[in-house]
Amino acid sequence: MASESGEDIKEDISPMSDSAKEDTLDRLSKDFDDLSEHAQQLLTEKLFLENEFAQLKKRANRLDEELRNIKTPPLVVGYIQDIIDEQAIVRSSNGTVFLVSVNRRLDISEMKPGTRVALNQDTLSVVEALSDSWDPLVSSAEIIESPTIDYESIGGLDEQIREIREAVELPFEKPEAFIELGIEPPKGVLLTGPPGTGKTMLAKAVANSTKATFLGLVGAELAQKYIGEGGRMVRELFDLAKQKAPSIIFIDELDSIGSKRLDTATSGDREVQRTLMQLLSEMDGFETLDDVKIIAATNRPELLDAALLRPGRFDRIIDIPLPDVDARETIFGVHTKSMPIDKKVGLRYLSNISEGFSGAEIKSSVVEAGINAISDGRKKVSKSDFTDAIKKVENKRKDSANSSAEGLYR
Ligand code: ATP
């Protein structure tokens, strides 16, 4: 046994042959290279992750900031009645009078009786002076006594034109027929469909053909941050519409005030809901045969509160899809009507190469093609002017789709 283990030791300490030494050296140096490369890789990864971490932290801060903004409670609107020793007597929008402080940042000499101000919701102290000239109905409602758009300038929407005429024109023109038959015409018509498909045009054309006043407003303008303002604007809008009757109230982007009511709402959301409630009660408050019709538009009908779609409110829904190949041909025809174009340009050809275009995009292509011809010093618009223009409009759409998708992830 002893001799056996002695031999083992001898074997262990026996000097390595040169080739074995070289092998080991090679192996070790290869291991060393591999490990250094791995270490370098890990270092790069670490830097990359650190960078990513910093980006994410920045994004989290930005989102935090946004969240704080969304949660900021709305301000109350009131009017100055008097100023006493740096303090103000204000009447809030519900009529109660308070003696409150004025934010030091504000110039108290500008606070005259009657000045409209924003008040903090809790302390009612004056935090902002609102410009007197800021009259929402003057500044944002587009009042057109009688718009000039007619049905002929709308391409490819014959069926939708027929439906809207039935719902709006007929009751305007023959109210007695409805009374005789004992039926109630719809009070409101909802136009749904992608942007730029002619919803606003359609509403204006109805107003034109019935000689009604057109009162146009974008929903987001009604979603005010001051308590009571949105509701007041809706009330004033309806008052004005009754005064100017026959009239058509057109509310674009209805979803910005008419989205489904949520339980967990911030106070800003609650203000939007109050505006919606006011709209519903105004709609319920007038007779179907009054000379006021409401047309609203949205490209996100699935978001709308079901209350808006009940009978007696928006009970006629007209869908306006993107134009198909025939409709696109008609729309090209409408917009090139007074344009000198080369004989080689076929409207069908233009329609075929503009798959997926909305009416608004077709119009931009025509304008763009015209500009191409003018900048080349030509009097007629050629086929290549159109093909280039259509490509340009298509690329613009792709770019904006990409940037909005990036925006979602940023
Ligand atoms: P949004 O949802 O973005 O408000 P919209 O559906 O109300 O869009 P309009 O404002 O009516 O779209 O259309 C924008 C422009 O596009 C119009 O001024 C018109 O020149 C053109 N257009 C859209 N649809 C048509 C169409 N069917 N026929 C002719 N022109 C059209």
Side-chain angles (χ1 to χ4, degrees), residues 153-155 157 194-201 252 299 331 334-335 359-360 363:
S153 52
I154 305 179
L157 294 178
T197 42
K199 299 185 287 295
T200 313
M201 272 187 109
D252 205 357
N299 37 42
I331 302 174
V334 167
H335 290 294
K363 187 184 177 183

Side-chain angles (χ1 to χ4, degrees), residues 31-50:
D31 282 354
F32 178 76
D33 285 349
D34 285 350
L35 285 172
S36 321
E37 197 179 312
H38 191 53
Q40 190 58 43
Q41 248 173 26
L42 286 175
L43 207 65
T44 319
E45 246 167 65
K46 180 174 166 249
L47 285 176
F48 176 74
L49 287 174
E50 271 172 3

Side-chain angles (χ1 to χ4, degrees), residues 193-263:
T197 42
K199 299 185 287 295
T200 313
M201 272 187 109
L202 200 54
K204 284 187 179 168
V206 187
N208 178 28
S209 121
T210 54
K211 302 277 169 284
T213 303
F214 178 87
L215 293 167
L217 213 95
V218 177
E221 285 159 357
L222 287 172
Q224 293 295 317
K225 76 178 203 185
Y226 301 113
I227 288 182
E229 284 290 88
R232 187 180 65 80
M233 281 171 73
V234 171
R235 221 169 25 244
E236 280 184 23
L237 188 65
F238 275 78
D239 284 349
L240 190 65
K242 280 180 207 155
Q243 226 181 61
K244 298 231 167 211
S247 53
I248 288 175
I249 296 179
F250 177 69
I251 306 178
D252 205 357
E253 295 172 21
L254 180 68
D255 45 285
S256 48
I257 51 160
S259 292
K260 290 187 180 96
R261 279 164 279 183
L262 304 169
D263 293 337

Side-chain angles (χ1 to χ4, degrees), residues 45 69 137 241 253 287 358:
E45 246 167 65
N69 280 344
L137 284 176
E253 295 172 21
E287 296 300 319
S358 67

Side-chain angles (χ1 to χ4, degrees), residues 306-318:
L308 278 167
L309 309 175
R310 293 217 185 98
R313 291 170 184 165
F314 291 101
D315 40 15
R316 166 85 51 127
I317 299 177
I318 303 178

Side-chain angles (χ1 to χ4, degrees), residues 61-211:
N61 286 343
R62 238 191 350 250
L63 288 175
D64 259 356
E65 178 72 31
E66 229 165 83
L67 207 63
R68 259 199 306 280
N69 280 344
I70 291 171
K71 284 187 177 161
T72 315
L75 303 169
V76 179
V77 171
Y79 292 90
I80 301 277
Q81 288 206 326
D82 206 352
I83 296 286
I84 304 172
D85 298 339
E86 309 283 293
Q87 282 198 309
I89 297 181
V90 291
R91 187 169 50 80
S92 72
S93 43
N94 63 11
T96 334
V97 176
F98 298 94
L99 177 65
V100 299
S101 62
V102 177
N103 191 310
R104 290 212 196 128
R105 181 173 58 78
L106 299 175
D107 182 359
I108 202 146
S109 64
E110 276 182 13
M111 309 276 157
K112 305 257 170 5
T115 306
R116 189 149 66 153
V117 287
L119 310 171
N120 176 295
Q121 213 183 89
D122 296 325
T123 62
L124 290 183
S125 63
V126 180
V127 291
E128 215 173 299
L130 302 173
S131 139
D132 269 347
S133 59
W134 187 81
D135 186 314
L137 284 176
V138 175
S139 66
S140 57
E142 185 192 348
I143 304 170
I144 306 177
E145 295 282 338
S146 187
T148 48
I149 290 178
D150 50 25
Y151 293 124
E152 278 77 62
S153 52
I154 305 179
L157 294 178
D158 297 344
E159 179 56 27
Q160 286 84 350
I161 291 176
R162 190 188 59 72
E163 282 190 59
I164 204 163
R165 291 183 81 162
E166 256 174 39
V168 182
E169 266 189 50
L170 216 52
F172 268 162
E173 283 164 8
K174 297 190 181 140
E176 64 293 337
F178 284 85
I179 298 169
E180 270 166 30
L181 291 185
I183 50 168
E184 293 197 339
K187 279 186 192 174
V189 176
L190 180 65
L191 307 177
T192 61
T197 42
K199 299 185 287 295
T200 313
M201 272 187 109
L202 200 54
K204 284 187 179 168
V206 187
N208 178 28
S209 121
T210 54
K211 302 277 169 284

